[in-house]
């Protein structure tokens, strides 16, 4: 799940399942709020929506990945923000892994997109430009690509 997420795996913290009690899960997220690592969680399908709401409330609209049914026929990987995930997932089945991007206050996708467009103007393909900028700024290539596609609309 971490590898497929497109989120940095240089430093990660595997937490496992949050508590099934909402108040305890919120306390656990508060504890994880300022950790400077990518966070990996397991989650039960019937609690995914509530967990996403709590992540948004406590950690903000971070970049996340949701992997479902890993190595099975219905394998699925979502990459985007917490709010985007909340719009997509209403009912879900299967085993779920949530990967949450590390706490970074310095992410400025507008600035990164300017760099991508500069590289494209200088003859790079969009794929190469995104790859170079994501490496330079140490952000997810997949998420930067999604931001690039949104900016073209």
């Amino acid at each position: 799940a971490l590898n497929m997420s497109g989120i940095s795996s240089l430093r990660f913290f595997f937490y496992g399942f949050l508590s099934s009690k909402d108040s305890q899960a919120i306390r656990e997220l508060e504890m994880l709020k300022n950790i400077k690592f990518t966070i990996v969680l397991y989650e039960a399908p019937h609690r995914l929506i509530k967990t996403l709401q709590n992540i948004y409330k406590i950690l903000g609209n971070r970049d996340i990945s949701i992997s479902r049914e890993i190595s099975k026929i219905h394998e699925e990987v979502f990459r985007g923000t917490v709010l985007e995930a909340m719009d997509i997932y209403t009912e879900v089945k299967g085993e779920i892994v949530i990967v949450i991007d590390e706490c970074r206050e310095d992410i400025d996708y507008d600035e990164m997109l300017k760099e991508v467009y500069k590289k494209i103007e200088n003859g790079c393909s969009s794929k190469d430009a995104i790859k170079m900028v994501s490496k330079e700024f140490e952000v997810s290539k997949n998420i930067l690509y999604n931001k690039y596609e949104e900016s073209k609309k």
Side-chain angles (χ1 to χ4, degrees), residues 15-27:
Y15 192 78
F17 283 97
L18 293 171
S19 174
S20 59
K21 294 182 180 173
D22 194 46
S23 60
Q24 180 62 30
I26 288 171
R27 280 194 291 277

Side-chain angles (χ1 to χ4, degrees), residues 29-72:
L29 286 169
E30 286 285 351
M31 180 187 70
L32 296 170
K33 181 164 57 175
N34 295 315
I35 195 166
K36 301 292 184 196
F37 296 1
T38 296
I39 301 167
V40 181
L41 304 173
Y42 286 152
E43 192 49 270
H46 65 278
R47 292 196 325 238
L48 179 62
I49 294 9
K50 188 63 179 168
T51 298
L52 290 173
Q53 291 168 346
N54 287 339
I55 289 171
Y56 180 73
K57 186 173 21 175
I58 307 300
L59 305 179
N61 195 27
R62 291 197 194 175
D63 291 325
I64 64 168
S65 168
I66 298 173
S67 298
R68 194 176 70 76
E69 294 291 283
I70 297 171
S71 77
K72 296 182 181 170

Side-chain angles (χ1 to χ4, degrees), residues 116 119 125-137 139 141 144-145:
V116 168
K119 291 185 184 316
S125 69
S126 59
K127 181 181 175 182
D128 289 340
I130 290 167
K131 186 176 180 179
M132 286 187 275
V133 172
S134 69
K135 191 171 187 175
E136 180 182 334
F137 284 88
V139 297
K141 180 174 58 176
L144 184 58
Y145 173 79

